[in-house]
Amino acid sequence: MALLTDELKRWIGREAHYPAHEELGRASIRYFALALDDANPLYVDDAYARQAGYPSLIAPPTLVVETCQYAHRRPDETGYIGHEWHLPVQGCRLIRAGNDYEFFRPVLPDDRISVTWTLEDIAERPSSRGGTQLFVRSVARYRDDKGDLVAINRETIVLQPLEPNA
Amino acid sequence: MIASTRNAETLQVGSTLPVMTQSFTIADLVAYGAATWDWHRMHYDQEFARARKFPNVMVDGQCYGAVMAKHALAWAGPRAFVRRLKFRMLAMTFAGDSLQAEAEVAEVRDEPAHAVVVLASRLKNGAKLTAEGTIELRMPK
């Protein structure tokens, strides 16, 4: 049975926009560095960061593409609050395949970052377990309050049938 | 005094970075989830994880990118900038596991305003390859 239905194909090209609610903030940056056990002074020390040529302390590079700080909703039954497409696919589990990040400048605590997700493609391909699985390619664009791109996150997830669909 | 930033001209293709270990207790998973505003139960609710046939709560796969970037920048120095980070997830990591970050210089090239250093990066859980990727660093000349 084909996983990639006509209904699902109509999702390709959809967008979801999340406006910034506040500045990223020093607390978010220090919290992330502590969570990763990252002692790099660039993330907590303004004077140090200025000596290295930055206007202030900076965020660890992947913070902006990993955080769901852009979201503003109560957790769903899984606890998650970040972006999800909620595709009409039954009986599949979601597996992260990989990410490809591009960064255009260091992110600063005063940045207000809005995010636009686009569903670029859904493809059905053979699975090594037999049957097929869906590859869902999305891109998130992160912009500052001037509209300039600060980062792009290209993400691929796999929707794998719990039982091979032979 | 700030730490020095590596001079791309002195780097040899094939030279390796010191190995870095990143450990994940449940407290670490909770801290990462909170720091990224991700409250998914898979990262702290053992009953939830075991009901889905996983042995324990799971490290967020996106965290692999953060570990690779931390490893690269600790080596490259404060003026290095991550321009691109691309990685594939090859295995899951659970609470109680430790990952070893390894990398080597894959390419060094000169551009008009700066040098570019490309690292080939891997995360291993013991002998098991957990993630692999490439990190493109922009370095001052």
Side-chain angles (χ1 to χ4, degrees):
Chain A
M1 193 183 79
L3 294 171
L4 185 51
T5 59
D6 287 340
E7 183 192 7
L8 205 48
K9 283 179 191 163
R10 285 196 288 273
W11 283 72
I12 297 169
R14 283 199 192 187
E15 288 201 343
H17 181 69
Y18 300 89
H21 285 271
E22 71 280 287
E23 298 76 20
L24 182 65
R26 285 175 156 71
S28 290
I29 292 172
R30 186 166 66 88
Y31 200 155
F32 185 87
L34 275 177
L36 265 300
D37 189 22
D38 192 337
N40 193 328
L42 286 178
Y43 311 140
V44 289
D45 185 337
D46 280 310
Y48 184 96
R50 283 192 197 105
Q51 280 189 67
Y54 305 103
S56 71
L57 65 84
I58 62 172
T62 63
L63 168 53
V64 66
V65 291
E66 290 174 23
T67 184
C68 303
Q69 185 171 343
Y70 59 79
H72 193 70
R73 64 169 165 124
R74 293 287 302 153
D76 63 18
E77 67 284 358
T78 69
Y80 194 61
I81 68 160
H83 170 75
E84 288 177 290
W85 293 115
H86 295 293
L87 295 173
V89 177
Q90 304 300 320
C92 285
R93 60 178 185 176
L94 183 155
I95 299 169
R96 287 182 171 278
N99 291 78
D100 181 357
Y101 304 136
E102 280 182 87
F103 302 103
F104 301 101
R105 66 163 173 84
V107 172
L108 303 170
D110 295 338
D111 279 323
R112 297 172 62 92
I113 307 290
S114 62
V115 186
T116 303
W117 282 88
T118 306
L119 207 175
E120 287 208 316
D121 191 38
I122 308 176
E124 183 167 0
R125 295 199 199 118
S127 163
S128 58
R129 300 158 77 236
T132 57
Q133 53 193 7
L134 292 173
F135 285 76
V136 180
R137 228 162 26 84
S138 302
V139 58
R141 291 183 173 82
Y142 302 81
R143 296 178 191 278
D144 61 21
D145 58 5
K146 292 201 282 294
D148 291 336
L149 269 177
V150 296
I152 296 177
N153 170 14
R154 292 185 175 84
E155 177 169 281
T156 305
I157 60 164
V158 179
L159 295 175
Q160 187 177 66
L162 292 169
E163 300 297 332
N165 57 339
Chain B
M1 267 296 282
I2 63 168
S4 61
T5 299
R6 281 177 198 272
N7 178 350
E9 283 180 14
T10 66
L11 296 175
Q12 300 291 319
V13 169
S15 62
T16 56
L17 279 63
V19 174
M20 183 191 83
T21 299
Q22 186 88 28
S23 302
F24 296 96
T25 63
I26 292 182
D28 291 321
L29 269 61
V30 168
Y32 179 79
T36 54
W37 297 52
D38 177 359
W39 309 323
H40 200 296
R41 291 162 66 186
M42 189 60 83
H43 307 313
Y44 53 84
D45 183 340
Q46 289 178 316
E47 211 172 289
F48 183 94
R50 288 184 180 137
R52 283 154 187 78
K53 311 260 186 253
F54 295 114
N56 202 342
V57 292
M58 192 191 296
V59 173
D60 186 337
Q62 283 207 293
C63 186
Y64 295 163
V67 173
M68 286 179 173
K70 172 189 165 186
H71 181 226
L73 289 174
W75 168 83
R79 293 178 207 268
F81 173 71
V82 176
R83 189 160 83 173
R84 191 164 188 187
L85 166 56
K86 186 176 178 177
F87 63 102
R88 292 197 309 142
M89 296 150 188
L90 303 171
M92 292 177 249
T93 303
F94 299 97
D97 288 347
S98 289
L99 294 178
Q100 291 76 47
E102 303 176 354
E104 69 265 342
V105 176
E107 186 186 347
V108 180
R109 63 173 191 268
D110 199 36
E111 290 188 358
H114 44 252
V116 173
V117 175
V118 181
L119 302 178
S121 179
R122 289 171 300 285
L123 301 180
K124 286 185 178 169
N125 188 349
K128 184 171 64 184
L129 186 60
T130 297
E132 63 181 1
T134 55
I135 303 170
E136 193 174 302
L137 296 170
R138 196 176 70 200
M139 313 282 284
K141 290 212 275 193

